[in-house]
Amino acid sequence: GFGEKSIDNLIEAIEISKKQSLEKLIFALGIPNVGEKTAKVLAMYYQSLDNLINASEEELTNIQDIGNIIAKSIKDYFVLSFNKEEIEKLKDMGINMVYTGPKVEINENFYNKTFVITGTLEKYTRDEIEEKIELLGGKTSSSVSKKTSAVIVGTNPGSKYEKAQKLDIPIWNEEDFEKLINKI
């Protein structure tokens, strides 16, 4: 029931999917305890699947958000011969095995730190700020805790702002954020 145009579109979609960035492949492998966010962290850090495969458990646990359970899951996954064979088949099929996303620029104001964004922002969307923080080596959270490094606030910030004040967590406005992203 496929017409020639449908077949061409399917083949084109398959070829495009082969060129996806590494984080998509890592997530698609189905490694236990590795979700989309962790897959992205791993891809940005290791830059290629071979580098990730060769990483030690100890090295993995030194990465932000990678604990002992995730590190063990990753190492256990790549030890299995069935998984090694599947990865070789994917390589033979021409699946991309390297990270093609934006490069991380380590910024000491953001590296290994956690940020919460609250309120209405004027200059950035929430997604833009979250992406910028990730590209500077930090991460974002939806809730304030003792582990929060700073809270970035817009107008009408609400309860997250109040909780940050109670916990004595630094509070930044958009101007503070801009000044700090430009300090490398």
Side-chain angles (χ1 to χ4, degrees):
F2 271 88
E4 191 173 320
K5 180 72 173 164
S6 295
I7 292 170
D8 289 344
N9 288 342
L10 179 61
I11 291 169
E12 183 179 342
I14 290 169
E15 289 305 313
I16 289 170
S17 73
K18 288 180 178 181
K19 297 174 184 167
Q20 293 290 317
S21 188
L22 178 60
E23 66 270 18
K24 302 285 187 186
L25 173 61
I26 293 170
F27 178 66
L29 290 174
I31 302 168
N33 303 305
V34 176
E36 283 184 81
K37 202 167 188 176
T38 301
K40 187 172 184 179
V41 168
L42 292 167
M44 291 171 81
Y45 188 88
Y46 285 104
Q47 300 288 307
S48 78
L49 190 62
D50 287 334
N51 289 343
L52 175 59
I53 290 169
N54 294 321
S56 70
E57 249 183 86
E58 182 182 347
E59 184 182 323
L60 286 162
T61 59
N62 288 330
I63 301 170
Q64 177 182 347
D65 294 335
I66 309 293
N68 294 332
I69 293 171
I70 295 173
K72 184 168 178 11
S73 291
I74 292 167
K75 290 312 296 177
D76 289 350
Y77 181 88
F78 291 124
V79 166
L80 295 175
S81 59
F82 172 80
N83 293 333
K84 288 179 184 177
E85 290 169 13
E86 290 299 310
I87 290 167
E88 286 306 314
K89 287 179 189 175
L90 292 172
K91 285 180 180 178
D92 292 344
M93 291 168 54
I95 303 295
N96 177 49
M97 301 278 165
V98 296
Y99 178 67
T100 58
K103 297 282 185 217
V104 175
E105 300 174 37
I106 300 302
N107 178 316
E108 65 186 38
N109 296 307
F110 294 88
Y111 184 70
N112 270 343
K113 295 181 181 174
T114 303
F115 300 88
V116 174
I117 304 159
T118 185
T120 305
L121 305 167
E122 293 178 25
K123 298 179 182 180
Y124 301 94
T125 66
R126 196 170 301 266
D127 288 342
E128 288 171 335
I129 286 185
E130 287 177 1
E131 183 178 351
K132 189 66 177 168
I133 288 169
E134 283 181 16
L135 293 175
L136 295 170
K139 69 175 185 168
T140 59
S141 175
S142 59
S143 61
V144 176
S145 74
K146 289 185 266 181
K147 294 181 180 180
T148 303
S149 304
V151 175
I152 301 166
V153 299
T155 55
N156 303 317
S159 63
K160 292 177 187 177
Y161 172 73
E162 293 165 6
K163 187 169 183 181
Q165 285 181 314
K166 285 179 187 172
L167 294 173
D168 204 26
I169 294 170
I171 297 169
W172 300 349
N173 60 28
E174 285 180 271
E175 287 178 9
D176 297 328
F177 174 74
E178 284 182 325
K179 287 176 189 171
L180 292 168
I181 61 175
N182 293 319
K183 286 185 180 179
I184 296 179

